[in-house]
Every structure is written in C-alpha cells, then in structure tokens.
Amino acid sequence: MIRNVVFDMGGVLFSYDPPAFVRRYCQDSAAAGLIGRELFGAPEWEQLDRGTMTDEAYLAAVLPRIPESLWTVSRYLFEHWHEMPRPFPEMERLIRALKGSGYGIYLLSNMSTRFYRFYRNIPAMHWFDGMLISADVHLLKPEPDIYCSLFRRFGLAPEECFFLDDRPENVRAGEQLGMRGFLFRHNYEDLAEAF
C-alpha cells in the first residue's frame, strides 16, 4: 500500500530551462549557446550537485573555457541561476491534494546547496514532510545509496513509496529498490490515475 510520495524537483516541481534563461541575458545566439553549454552543461556540474565542489571552484574551472568578454554575463548567470525555476501550479495543486488525503510527501533531488537559497519560493514545498538533496549526502541519483539514505532518514519503507522523476534512469533505480516508479512528462492525467 502506498503511503508516501517522493518527488524529484527540477522538471517535476518546476521548469528548468538553462538555454531560455541564458537567452534572456545574452541575445547573441552563438555566445548564448557557448555559455549555456559551458556554464550549465559542464562536467563539473555533477560535483556541485554532489556537494564536493564550491561555487567559487566551479567558476574557476569553467570560466577559462569561455571567452573573457563573456565572463561578466557568465558570472551573473551563474550567481542568479536559482532564479530560473518557475513552479508548475498543477503540481502544487496535486501535492496539496495528496497531503490532504494523508500521504507523506518527500523530496529527493540532485541539487547543490544553492537549493537552500530558493526552495521557499516554490509553493509546493510548504507541504513536504522531508527533503533530501544530493549535496547534503555526497551522493547522486541513480546511485542506490541516495535512495537508501532517504529511506533511513525518514523511516520510509520502499514498498510504501511512489516515486516521480523526469529521468528514466532515476525511476528505474528507485523501482529496483522496491519503490513504485512514475516517469513524469507533464502527463498529469496518467499521474492522477496512478493513485
């Protein structure tokens, strides 16, 4: 019996669209593409999410791969990327309804410690019973240990958890540990029927 619903964050609770965010501040399409790839698609981003690299160290590693003429806008974009997310109102309504029906609501997200600067701006977060982000435990989905950390921290039985994520590999990893998984693609009708 499902008693708890575990949510991913980016792409599930809110939109996350770095190319559109970059284009708002950099109209040159070639420069915007370069900044987007190097700033938000760098291999070092995983270290931010894992909590093993600071923001300052990240910029020091990434900026040399960007022309110096674009450093000012790149720094600005990196320092303000947490302003990018736009909450999905449909998801907030769903979470509120689930909470009202007695489900436990939890977060499991690959996210840097920047999370603590913006999560209160997401209305749905008001309803959560517990949150675990990757940077706090130095683990990343789909590594099994991050799911086990969630179970231990909040006393959750995997078979009583319904897990939503927008990445198939993360859903599969949760299912392999006993959770019921759901690949979220803004398929709200399918999601509503899953409960």
Side-chain angles (χ1 to χ4, degrees):
M1 182 169 134
I2 299 299
R3 300 179 187 276
N4 306 292
V5 186
V6 180
F7 290 84
D8 175 41
M9 192 161 44
V12 174
L13 298 184
F14 57 70
S15 64
Y16 180 74
D17 189 355
F21 181 63
V22 173
R23 285 194 302 269
R24 282 178 22 206
Y25 298 92
C26 184
Q27 280 69 48
D28 179 276
S29 60
L34 173 66
I35 292 171
R37 281 190 308 277
E38 295 297 340
L39 200 61
F40 296 107
E44 292 89 350
W45 192 272
E46 185 176 288
Q47 294 177 54
L48 285 176
D49 282 351
R50 195 179 286 279
T52 56
M53 179 177 265
T54 65
D55 284 1
E56 296 77 17
Y58 182 82
L59 276 179
V62 170
L63 283 179
R65 300 197 294 259
I66 298 171
E68 195 169 347
S69 61
L70 299 174
W71 284 9
T72 299
V73 68
S74 295
R75 278 194 183 97
Y76 180 87
L77 289 165
F78 181 72
E79 290 166 5
H80 292 267
W81 72 256
H82 59 277
E83 298 169 7
M84 182 191 334
R86 295 288 177 262
F88 296 134
E90 303 92 338
M91 193 56 81
E92 195 272 335
R93 287 192 292 272
L94 172 66
I95 290 169
R96 187 170 5 119
L98 289 170
K99 186 69 178 169
S101 296
Y103 289 97
I105 308 294
Y106 296 89
L107 178 77
L108 180 64
S109 181
N110 286 349
M111 181 64 65
S112 75
T113 56
R114 186 78 65 94
F115 167 80
Y116 295 107
R117 292 172 61 180
F118 73 88
Y119 80 93
R120 288 184 179 90
N121 297 332
I122 303 165
M125 298 306 294
H126 171 77
W127 306 104
F128 278 69
D129 297 292
M131 302 175 287
L132 190 145
I133 63 164
S134 58
D136 286 343
V137 291
H138 308 300
L139 298 164
L140 294 171
K141 292 181 295 183
E143 297 167 6
D145 284 349
I146 193 169
Y147 300 86
C148 294
S149 294
L150 176 82
F151 304 149
R152 283 192 304 271
R153 180 173 292 184
F154 300 110
L156 305 179
E159 64 276 9
E160 295 179 350
C161 294
F162 185 95
F163 175 55
L164 294 89
D165 201 293
D166 63 332
R167 301 189 70 151
E169 64 273 23
N170 295 344
V171 173
R172 281 194 300 273
E175 289 174 334
Q176 288 169 357
L177 291 167
M179 289 198 286
R180 187 166 153 209
F182 185 88
L183 182 62
F184 181 70
R185 293 283 194 254
H186 301 279
N187 42 348
Y188 291 102
E189 288 184 11
D190 295 339
L191 179 56
E193 291 174 4
F195 290 95

